[in-house]
Amino acid sequence: MAEIHRDWLFDRSSLTRRLRTLSDDEFEVILLRETTGPILPQECRVLGLRLGVMGWIREVYLAGFGRPWVYARSVINHCDPEDNDSALLQLGNVPLGSLLFGEKPYKRSEIEVCRYRDACNASSRPAYPLWARRSVFSREQTRVLVHEMFLPALWEELS
């Protein structure tokens, strides 16, 4: 693993903050999906939930200069709008990091990292590795599993 990949993948600070800095504040959250739905079996295992349980699922692109740099999927172990953490269920285009690292920060688990097999590359340009990470953020009864896949456009920006 290259040092630049290690630096971004294992950094425990706010990814949103780092992407804002890298993009000179030309940063945006592109909402793909935000809904109640079944939590995937592996996500249930990581969150310590029984299989088939429903939760809140949010998928976004984190983009700089109009280019998606990170695909993020967040899964929340409950979807009760009456709960104290209901702001998590109404983010829209607001970065999740603004709550996770906000005034009452969540506790973060260890970061797990994986590398996906190299994707097909039909161009003559070198392919960038497809790295992803996940961790769980916890506060009181709320647990948020955050998956982040670092897209080639980010590595291109950093090179």
Side-chain angles (χ1 to χ4, degrees):
M1 176 186 301
E3 187 57 37
I4 189 74
H5 300 141
R6 184 180 322 281
D7 177 53
W8 280 81
L9 291 166
F10 289 100
D11 182 38
R12 297 183 62 80
S13 67
S14 169
L15 178 60
T16 298
R17 203 169 292 130
R18 284 191 85 177
L19 294 174
R20 278 191 194 283
T21 300
L22 180 64
S23 68
D24 295 324
D25 231 8
E26 284 190 48
F27 171 82
E28 65 180 316
V29 175
I30 302 169
L31 180 64
L32 302 173
R33 180 168 82 123
E34 189 173 47
T35 187
T36 300
I39 298 176
L40 298 174
Q42 186 175 26
E43 295 169 336
C44 285
R45 183 185 58 76
V46 171
L47 288 168
L49 302 171
R50 62 180 169 73
L51 291 178
V53 71
M54 300 291 277
W56 188 254
I57 299 166
R58 180 174 189 250
E59 296 175 350
V60 300
Y61 283 126
L62 305 177
F65 304 120
R67 296 181 68 199
W69 284 346
V70 175
Y71 162 79
R73 175 182 167 95
S74 305
V75 179
I76 302 173
N77 66 328
H78 64 82
C79 42
D80 181 1
E82 300 300 316
D83 192 278
N84 291 335
D85 288 316
S86 64
L88 290 169
L89 310 181
Q90 304 162 18
L91 287 170
N93 290 41
V94 174
L96 176 61
S98 66
L99 291 179
L100 297 180
F101 293 92
E103 289 178 22
K104 294 174 17 183
Y106 286 68
K107 182 180 178 195
R108 188 178 205 165
S109 71
E110 291 301 312
I111 296 172
E112 297 178 49
V113 171
C114 75
R115 180 178 175 177
Y116 290 91
R117 293 184 184 270
D118 290 332
C120 295
N121 183 17
S123 73
S124 59
R125 295 169 52 186
Y128 288 91
L130 202 53
W131 288 101
R133 70 181 187 176
R134 73 179 178 194
S135 56
V136 177
F137 291 82
S138 304
R139 187 172 73 196
E140 297 171 9
Q141 300 304 309
T142 302
R143 294 171 48 83
V144 183
L145 174 59
V146 178
H147 303 269
E148 296 160 325
M149 182 180 294
F150 293 72
L151 303 175
L154 175 64
W155 306 128
E156 289 172 10
E157 185 66 34
L158 291 166
S159 65

